[in-house]
Amino acid sequence: MNAINDIISSINSVLWGWPMIILLLGTHIYLTIILKFPQRKIFKAIKLSVTKDPGSTGDVSQFGALATALAATIGTGNIVGVGTAIALGGPGAVFWCWLTGVFGISTKYAEGLLAIKYRVKTPSGQMLGGPMYALERGLGWKWMGVLFAIFCTIASFGIGCTVQANAISTLTNETFNISTYLVGGVVCALTAAVILGGVKSIARVCSALVPFMAIFYVVGCIYILCVNGHYLWPALKLIVESAFNPAAAGGGFVGGTFMIAARYGISRGLFSNESGMGSAPIVAAAAQTRNPVRQALVSSSGTFWDTVVICAMTGLVIVSSALAHPDINFADGATLTKGAFSKIPYVGSTLLNIGQFTFAFSTILGWSYYGERSIEYLNRKCILPYRVLYIIAVFGGSVIGLSIVWNMADCFNALMAIPNLLALLFLSKVLMKETNHYLWNDHLDDEMDDET
């Protein structure tokens, strides 16, 4: 197993190397330019996300679709992932992570637009969409749509399921000394109770869970930043300065080069917000919306909350705590994160524990929908077997070691991104046409011209 893990790790380092980072970040910047900076409409997007669109076609509300996407996106990577970036790339990695989120808003916007543009309605009235449908209906590349669906299905068992379940069981065992088997059984039962009810059940639970966990975590981070008030400005200054000169960070922070700080900041940012990966548009296609651009704006707000807000606050908490307490262990991302939060009496460890639990469980729910829709694209008869296997995998992930699963998950996430990015780039003229008509020519309240 160690040999296999080493091979997968080598493949993973190639897939997530500079070519992938350049492709993803390049797509972010390219779409930002050709779509005329849709980031300017972020507050409009936030308003639309909580506005009902009565009479529109779809399975769930726009907020329900956004909450489900955020549930899948906001996971342990938003907490431990940021710590990993800082441990490996220094505090400057926080700056690059944040900047990736700002530009990634455009890519998430484009993904949501294509999801609505090329979605299909089943005989039962259900809306289906995502990169596989954009590849098939927009470009005629069904074979690539099939590849994306396969990669997404496999990835759902990795980063979406077993890894998150393991994070919950390990955390609970270390904190309360509760058996991982007992925790796995409880999480398994809770997962089954939600996902067997389909997309409406998942969206309903996520709509309640996501606001709670996000508000709780953000308020907790604000409190910690107030406690670390004397170190807040030095932390901000250090993040910006070391983004371009990591070697100047000093203290317990890693010293290195500009390339190292940028690489880990960008890669963790991309991994965190999933802009360009192609997962979020799968649920965006189910939204009740009158035209593609309205849902595109709603989808783009997900990246804003995920990276521009939550990841940035996590980074500030870790860096300011590290400055206030130089004895914090920098061994790895998880150790650094735990050490930084634990230095805050009473609330620090509790905030970290509750944040990790809710983030991980919500990711399990969101990714179950992504995998199920991918399986449906491949073969509708396999939906129920997929649900059963997914629930079993939740329990399995709770009780076994998962280093090899982490590496496999990273690989398949990268493999998902490639066909999705090709769809975005080759359909850029469609993106520009729809954006110019609905967004920049003030037709945002119009019905879709060609209902699909």
Side-chain angles (χ1 to χ4, degrees), residues 245-298:
N245 183 22
F253 292 109
V254 66
T257 65
F258 160 78
M259 297 291 281
I260 292 175
R263 176 186 175 184
Y264 285 109
I266 293 171
S267 62
R268 286 298 94 187
L270 295 170
F271 188 80
S272 169
N273 60 51
E274 297 182 12
S275 293
M277 194 178 295
S279 50
I282 296 175
V283 70
Q288 297 166 349
T289 185
R290 68 185 70 178
N291 63 60
V293 169
R294 288 177 74 91
Q295 181 55 37
L297 288 171
V298 172

Side-chain angles (χ1 to χ4, degrees), residues 49-205:
S49 69
V50 294
T51 302
K52 291 185 177 181
D53 206 351
S56 300
T57 305
D59 301 327
V60 297
S61 67
Q62 289 180 313
F63 179 75
L66 174 63
T68 304
L70 279 173
T73 305
I74 301 177
T76 55
N78 293 79
I79 302 177
V80 177
V82 175
T84 300
I86 295 171
L88 296 175
V94 177
F95 174 84
W96 294 109
C97 180
W98 179 82
L99 193 65
T100 300
V102 172
F103 283 106
I105 290 173
S106 293
T107 301
K108 191 63 72 72
Y109 166 91
E111 290 177 317
L113 193 158
L114 294 183
I116 299 296
K117 178 71 177 177
Y118 294 109
R119 68 182 180 180
V120 299
K121 182 184 290 187
T122 66
S124 62
Q126 188 178 31
M127 287 295 186
L128 303 177
M132 50 278 206
Y133 293 93
L135 287 162
E136 179 184 348
R137 304 186 71 217
L139 294 171
W141 297 352
K142 182 175 174 61
W143 64 274
M144 193 168 284
V146 169
L147 282 178
F148 174 88
I150 292 173
F151 296 148
C152 185
T153 300
I154 298 174
S156 72
F157 286 102
I159 193 63
C161 175
T162 51
V163 166
Q164 307 297 332
N166 186 263
I168 293 174
S169 65
T170 301
L171 175 68
T172 307
N173 178 259
E174 292 177 352
T175 306
F176 304 106
N177 198 29
I178 300 175
S179 168
T180 55
Y181 287 88
L182 178 59
V183 176
V186 172
V187 176
C188 185
L190 291 173
T191 302
V194 177
I195 71 172
L196 291 177
V199 62
K200 292 184 178 180
S201 174
I202 295 172
R204 186 166 56 250
V205 173

Side-chain angles (χ1 to χ4, degrees), residues 30-45 48 105-106 109-110 113 291-294 296-297 300 428-446:
Y30 172 71
L31 291 175
T32 295
I33 293 172
I34 67 168
L35 298 179
K36 303 176 184 178
F37 291 80
Q39 290 91 335
R40 290 182 287 161
K41 296 290 185 178
I42 191 61
F43 293 109
K44 177 68 173 180
L48 285 175
I105 290 173
S106 293
Y109 166 91
L113 193 158
N291 63 60
V293 169
R294 288 177 74 91
L297 288 171
S300 72
S428 58
K429 290 185 178 180
V430 174
L431 293 170
M432 288 189 289
K433 179 182 177 181
E434 297 287 326
T435 300
N436 286 334
H437 174 71
Y438 288 109
L439 187 59
W440 304 125
N441 291 332
D442 297 324
H443 294 291
L444 198 56
D445 293 329
D446 291 359

